[in-house]
Amino acid sequence: MAKTGTVYLTGAGPGDPGLMTLRALEVLKQADLVLYDGLANPLLLRYTNGVCERTARTRIDSRAIVPQEEVNQRLVDEAKLGKCVVRLKGGDPFIFGRGSEEAVALEAAGIPYEVVPGITAATAAAEYAGFSYTHRSHTSAVAFVTGHEDPTKDESRLDYAALAAFPGTLVFYMGLGRLSQICSQLMDNGKAGTTPAAIVCRASLPTQRVVQSTLAGLPEAASDAGLKPPSLIVVGECVNLRQADSWFERRALHGLKIGITSADHQISQTMNEVVVQSGQPVPMPLLEIHPVSTAEAERVRKQLGDLKRFDWLVFTSSNGVNEFFRHLHEAGLDSRALGHMKIATVGPSTADSLKHFGLLSDVVPQTYRAEALVEELSQQVNGQAVLWARANRGRDTLAEGLQSAGATEVTSLVVYRNQDVLQLAEAVTSQLKSGELDWICLSSPAAAKRLAALLEAASIQQATAGIKLAAISPLTAEAIVQSGLTVGVTATEHTWTGILDAISQYQRDQQQ
Ligand code: SAH
C-alpha cells in the first residue's frame, strides 16, 4: 500500500496572484493534485505540474455543484493513494472558506495535513480600494461577518442589534444577494443611515470596482452599478478615506485585457509584468517553436564542427540564441568554441539572451531590423565569412545585404522551426471574438501575419472588435500594416517590457 499523502489546505489569496504566500508556492510545486475553488485565481495553476481540478462551479443561484462532503471524501481518498494534494481556496482557507470542515474530515480519517493561511479578501479589499478598517482616527475594531448563512438554518444567527452597536467597521462576506436586508436590518437596529458604506467587487483583480455610498443609499448604488459577486460590503467611517481612485486603480494597465502572443519562455515573465500593472494578461500563442528535423540537426552538427571558418556569428532572435546553444552543448561544445568570432544581434532582447551564455554582443543596431544590422555590419564584413543562426522561415534581407556588402560567405543555419499554433487556434479565435480584448501585443512580422490570417478566417474586423495592436518594432509595425491591420503603438525599446511601456504611455495620454 502507498504511504498516505499529505493534504495542504491552502489559501490562494484574494485574487491578485502576487498575494499568495511563499509556502503556498512551495506546496503547489510539490502537488500531484490541485483541487481549487472558484475564487482561486487560475493564473496560480501555472506554478504546479499536478493535475488541476475545479471543485465548485457556481450556477445562476450561486450554489456549489460539488457538495462539501464529496470534496472532503475526495481529499481523504486521494491522500490514501499516496498523493500530495493541495486544496487551493480563495483568500484564507478558514475565513468563511469551509476549510475548517475539511480539516475536521482529514483529522477524523487520520490523514496528515497542513493549513497554509492566505490573505483574506477583506484585507485586500480595503488596501486595494484605498482605505483602512482600523485607521486610528476612525475606528479601532473590525468585524468579519457572513451575509449568507447556512441555508438549512431557519433563523439568522446574526445578532443585528449587536452588529448595529459594534464600535468599528463591519465587513460582510457573501452578502451581495441580501444587500437590502443587511442594510435595513442594521438601520432598524439603530445604525445611522448616513454611515459611510461601500461595496468592493473583485478586490485586487484588474476588474476591481468600488461603489461608495451611505448605508441607506448602498442598495440602490449597487444595483445602478450592476455589481456582481464576489463582493464585500463595508460599513463604517473608514470608507471615507478612499480617494476617487486608489493607487491600484490608477495603474496604467488597470482593467485592460491584453493578449500576449509570445511563444517562447518570455510569456510567463510578460504575463507577470501585466499582472503587476493590474492588467489582465491573456495568453494567445500564435506561433510555436519546434526543434529542427533530424536532417537539419545533422546539418547543424556538421557546421558546428567547422566553426573556425567563420568570422562573424549573427543572431536575429532570442530563440535563435537559445536553440543555437542547445545544439552547441549537444555537440559537446560551449561558448569557448566561439572565441574567435565577433557576434552581432538584431536587438536588445537577443543581446540579453546571449548574456545568459556569458557572451556580449559586439554589434546591436539602434533600430531593431535586419536593414539596420546590415548597415552596421557593412563596413566590417567585407571579405569575411558570416554564420547566421535563424528560424526556418523569415526574411532573407540579412543574407542578401551582407553578401552585397562584400561578405565572402553568409551561411544560414536553421537552428529552430517557427510554426503556426494550430491546436490552440480555436481558443485564440474565441478570444478574438469575445469583444473583450483591449490590446494584442505582437513581437514579430510572422506573428502579425498569423493574427491577420486568424482574423480573416473568423471574419472579424479589427475596428469592430475594438482591438488595438502593439508592435515590438517598426518592422513588426510594417508587417501589421501590410497585413491590412492598424497599429496602435510601436515600442521604443524593442522588448516585451518595451511593448507594455508603450501601451501604458498610450493609456496615460488618453486619460489626459
Ligand atoms: N475564504 C475566502 C472567503 C470565501 S467566502 C477569503 O478568505 O477571502 C466567499 C466570499 O468572499 C465572496 O462571496 C465575497 O464576499 C468574498 N470574496 C472573495 N474574494 C473576493 C474578492 N476578490 N473581492 C471581493 N470579495 C471577495
Side-chain angles (χ1 to χ4, degrees):
M1 249 181 62
K3 185 171 171 284
T4 307
T6 302
V7 176
Y8 297 89
L9 302 174
T10 308
D16 180 338
L19 297 184
M20 190 177 70
T21 64
L22 285 177
R23 182 63 185 145
L25 182 63
E26 272 170 15
V27 300
L28 271 183
K29 282 185 180 159
Q30 292 165 21
D32 299 308
L33 175 68
V34 179
L35 294 176
Y36 64 103
D37 74 8
L39 286 172
N41 191 333
L43 281 175
L44 297 173
L45 304 176
R46 285 182 297 157
Y47 299 121
T48 183
N49 290 320
V51 173
C52 300
E53 239 178 76
R54 186 170 157 174
T55 52
R57 291 195 187 84
T58 44
R59 281 201 201 128
I60 293 159
D61 67 358
S62 302
R63 294 270 192 80
I65 289 177
V66 185
Q68 186 62 48
E69 296 68 36
E70 226 170 84
V71 175
N72 296 354
Q73 193 55 48
R74 184 82 194 283
L75 295 174
V76 170
D77 293 347
E78 297 286 353
K80 280 189 177 159
L81 293 173
K83 289 187 195 166
C84 170
V85 183
V86 171
R87 173 70 174 129
L88 191 65
K89 300 169 78 77
D92 179 275
F94 279 19
I95 303 257
F96 305 129
R98 306 191 73 174
S100 40
E101 292 169 46
E102 292 167 7
V104 169
L106 294 167
E107 192 85 53
I111 305 289
Y113 68 95
E114 175 180 326
V115 184
V116 183
I119 294 179
T120 189
T123 308
E127 286 156 14
Y128 278 56
F131 53 86
S132 153
Y133 300 130
T134 58
H135 191 287
R136 273 177 74 99
S137 8
H138 299 279
T139 164
S140 44
V142 55
F144 293 168
V145 187
T146 170
H148 176 94
E149 295 174 86
D150 187 337
T152 58
K153 275 187 266 150
D154 291 338
E155 279 178 33
S156 173
R157 274 207 300 195
L158 285 181
D159 178 346
Y160 274 93
L163 287 176
F166 182 72
T169 310
L170 299 173
V171 187
F172 290 89
Y173 284 69
M174 299 176 283
L176 196 63
R178 301 186 57 244
L179 177 62
S180 303
Q181 291 100 305
I182 291 171
C183 293
S184 37
Q185 300 225 49
L186 286 174
M187 287 186 290
D188 290 350
N189 283 280
K191 188 110 188 145
T194 50
T195 313
I199 292 182
V200 185
C201 177
R202 300 180 60 82
S204 83
L205 288 161
T207 45
Q208 169 175 306
R209 290 183 64 195
V210 182
V211 166
Q212 218 174 326
S213 180
T214 57
L215 185 57
L218 199 59
E220 196 182 328
S223 97
D224 287 352
L227 296 187
K228 296 210 174 71
S231 292
L232 292 162
I233 304 164
V234 183
V235 182
E237 295 298 326
C238 70
V239 167
N240 282 346
L241 290 168
R242 176 175 158 82
Q243 308 285 320
D245 271 333
S246 70
W247 59 269
F248 176 63
E249 294 151 344
R250 282 197 302 269
R251 285 187 171 165
L253 301 183
H254 183 71
L256 296 176
K257 229 174 180 179
I258 301 177
I260 312 290
T261 59
S262 164
D264 52 29
H265 59 284
Q266 288 174 316
I267 192 157
S268 191
Q269 165 74 20
T270 309
M271 290 195 17
N272 284 342
E273 284 183 40
V274 173
V275 168
V276 164
Q277 294 192 58
S278 138
Q280 304 178 73
V282 182
M284 296 180 65
L286 297 174
L287 304 169
E288 56 195 358
I289 307 306
H290 284 277
V292 289
S293 67
T294 322
E296 284 165 329
E298 182 54 26
R299 185 166 169 258
V300 174
R301 211 183 52 78
K302 270 207 189 117
Q303 288 291 355
L304 292 178
D306 191 19
L307 287 173
K308 283 277 166 283
R309 220 149 51 76
F310 296 101
D311 308 292
W312 280 92
L313 178 57
V314 180
F315 294 105
T316 44
S317 70
S318 292
N319 290 313
V321 172
N322 295 331
E323 290 301 302
F324 177 86
F325 280 91
R326 200 172 54 75
H327 289 290
L328 193 71
H329 295 159
E330 274 173 14
L333 299 167
D334 63 21
S335 301
R336 287 170 295 180
L338 314 175
H340 64 287
M341 285 192 271
K342 286 201 150 195
I343 303 181
T345 48
V346 76
S349 286
T350 313
D352 252 3
S353 302
L354 196 59
K355 271 192 203 151
H356 294 300
F357 299 97
L359 295 171
L360 297 178
S361 184
D362 298 293
V363 174
V364 188
Q366 286 298 311
T367 46
Y368 171 67
R369 43 186 306 148
E371 284 80 354
L373 192 54
V374 170
E375 207 179 304
E376 291 256 343
L377 287 175
S378 59
Q379 304 298 319
Q380 309 185 51
V381 294
N382 195 7
Q384 307 229 307
V386 180
L387 182 63
W388 175 22
R390 61 173 297 188
N392 59 316
R393 62 185 188 189
R395 302 191 312 157
D396 289 324
T397 321
L398 185 77
E400 289 158 11
L402 294 181
Q403 247 142 16
S404 323
T408 51
E409 174 187 348
V410 182
T411 295
S412 287
L413 189 62
V414 174
V415 290
Y416 69 100
R417 303 189 70 83
N418 211 329
Q419 288 177 7
D420 293 347
V421 175
L422 297 177
Q423 271 181 333
L424 288 172
E426 225 169 273
V428 171
T429 304
S430 80
Q431 282 294 346
L432 295 172
K433 279 188 178 158
S434 71
E436 289 176 358
L437 280 173
D438 298 291
W439 287 92
I440 297 178
C441 306
L442 294 164
S443 64
S444 69
K449 284 180 203 145
R450 176 73 180 139
L451 176 68
L454 286 175
L455 286 168
E456 196 180 332
S459 314
I460 303 169
Q461 298 290 328
Q462 184 195 348
T464 341
I467 300 169
K468 291 186 275 300
L469 301 180
I472 198 167
S473 70
L475 186 65
T476 301
E478 235 168 68
I480 291 174
V481 174
Q482 277 162 9
S483 311
L485 302 172
T486 311
V487 181
V489 293
T490 304
T492 320
E493 192 204 300
H494 310 311
T495 59
W496 276 94
T497 307
I499 302 183
L500 298 180
D501 287 347
I503 297 178
S504 301
Q505 192 55 51
Y506 175 98
Q507 295 294 143
R508 265 186 237 115
D509 293 347
Q510 291 291 304
Q511 277 162 17
Q512 276 161 13

